[in-house]
Amino acid sequence: MNFLAHIYLARHSDAAMVGALLGDFAKADVSGRYPPEVVREIVLHRRIDAFTDNHAIFRQGVALFAPGRRRYAGIVLDVFYDHLLSQRWARYTGEPREALIARFYQALLAHAPLLPDKLREIAPWMVEQDWLGSYLELEGVELAVRRISQRLSRNGYLLREGLDDVRANYDALATGFEVFFPELVTFAERERVALIQAEGPAERV
């Protein structure tokens, strides 16, 4: 659910950014369904998620949530990390945040025929309501979490209540992010190189 972080990590091309988002929507087997660069970023997205979920700092952040809410803490933290990235954007890139988000929105709409039905349905809303830009303020995180909670079949209230844990532990979570995110950037760069090297020449086109 940390859309902005995935897009930031794939910002080198429009197709890569779309693939990075597709990682949350595409079905398990994507080989042959999308262009090679899109497939690569979907696979990388999944590796990034696994790295994040198993990282000691992320786990420490989850442990700060109330016991009954920890099952959903990872979802809340994912969105909150996009807020922290937004707040610290200039530390990581010279490209203005608004410019990158606008470029991504254009790429997303341009690739509409490739999108799974669910993503194709929400893409116009994502652009019109500027979901990624809204993460700059904590209120945008709250709106995103409420939106996600409405899609849960049950216990959505636990997701929403997790926002209380975020507010109570904001500084500790932010401190952890500042250590975690550079490590994530290094991991993503290394894994992308490994994926490219593993591809045959025809697949890289």
Side-chain angles (χ1 to χ4, degrees), residues 91-203:
R91 300 184 188 180
Y92 304 113
T93 178
E95 181 174 9
R97 184 180 58 90
E98 297 85 353
L100 178 60
I101 291 172
R103 181 160 65 91
F104 164 71
Y105 287 155
Q106 291 177 351
L108 181 65
L109 297 178
H111 286 78
L114 282 181
L115 306 181
D117 291 343
K118 182 178 178 182
L119 180 53
R120 191 182 303 116
E121 179 182 344
I122 69 172
W125 293 103
M126 182 183 295
V127 175
E128 182 179 339
Q129 298 174 5
D130 189 18
W131 289 7
L132 302 186
S134 72
Y135 296 150
L136 181 63
E137 304 298 335
L138 193 57
E139 290 80 3
V141 175
E142 295 168 349
L143 285 172
V145 168
R146 292 193 182 98
R147 195 160 48 231
I148 296 166
S149 74
Q150 292 169 357
R151 298 201 297 267
L152 295 180
S153 58
R154 60 179 182 175
N155 296 332
Y157 72 96
L158 293 175
L159 199 64
R160 295 188 294 273
E161 289 178 357
L163 293 166
D164 295 334
D165 298 301
V166 165
R167 297 186 195 95
N169 297 284
Y170 189 107
D171 291 342
L173 293 171
T175 298
F177 176 84
E178 290 169 2
V179 176
F180 162 77
F181 193 71
E183 294 182 14
L184 176 63
V185 171
T186 300
F187 171 82
E189 291 173 348
R190 183 176 66 243
E191 290 297 306
R192 183 179 288 111
V193 170
L195 286 169
I196 292 172
Q197 291 175 343
E199 295 172 356
E203 293 177 313

Side-chain angles (χ1 to χ4, degrees), residues 4-5 7-9 11 82-101 136 181:
L4 184 59
I7 290 159
Y8 166 85
L9 293 170
R11 66 193 184 282
D82 272 358
H83 165 71
L84 295 174
L85 174 58
S86 297
Q87 290 281 327
R88 293 154 176 76
W89 188 265
R91 300 184 188 180
Y92 304 113
T93 178
E95 181 174 9
R97 184 180 58 90
E98 297 85 353
L100 178 60
I101 291 172
L136 181 63
F181 193 71

Side-chain angles (χ1 to χ4, degrees), residues 18-121:
V18 173
L21 183 67
L22 275 169
D24 275 326
F25 296 90
K27 295 182 179 180
D29 183 9
V30 295
S31 56
R33 293 177 57 89
Y34 303 101
E37 187 173 18
V38 173
V39 171
R40 183 190 309 145
E41 294 299 327
I42 293 172
V43 173
L44 181 58
H45 177 120
R46 294 168 179 169
R47 294 187 183 184
I48 288 169
D49 283 352
F51 175 84
T52 300
D53 291 344
N54 291 289
H55 197 284
I57 290 175
F58 191 82
R59 289 178 174 270
Q60 290 166 8
V62 168
L64 293 174
F65 284 64
R69 299 196 280 263
R70 287 177 190 162
R71 179 180 176 184
Y72 300 95
I75 298 173
V76 179
L77 275 182
D78 271 351
V79 182
F80 182 62
Y81 273 9
D82 272 358
H83 165 71
L84 295 174
L85 174 58
S86 297
Q87 290 281 327
R88 293 154 176 76
W89 188 265
R91 300 184 188 180
Y92 304 113
T93 178
E95 181 174 9
R97 184 180 58 90
E98 297 85 353
L100 178 60
I101 291 172
R103 181 160 65 91
F104 164 71
Y105 287 155
Q106 291 177 351
L108 181 65
L109 297 178
H111 286 78
L114 282 181
L115 306 181
D117 291 343
K118 182 178 178 182
L119 180 53
R120 191 182 303 116
E121 179 182 344

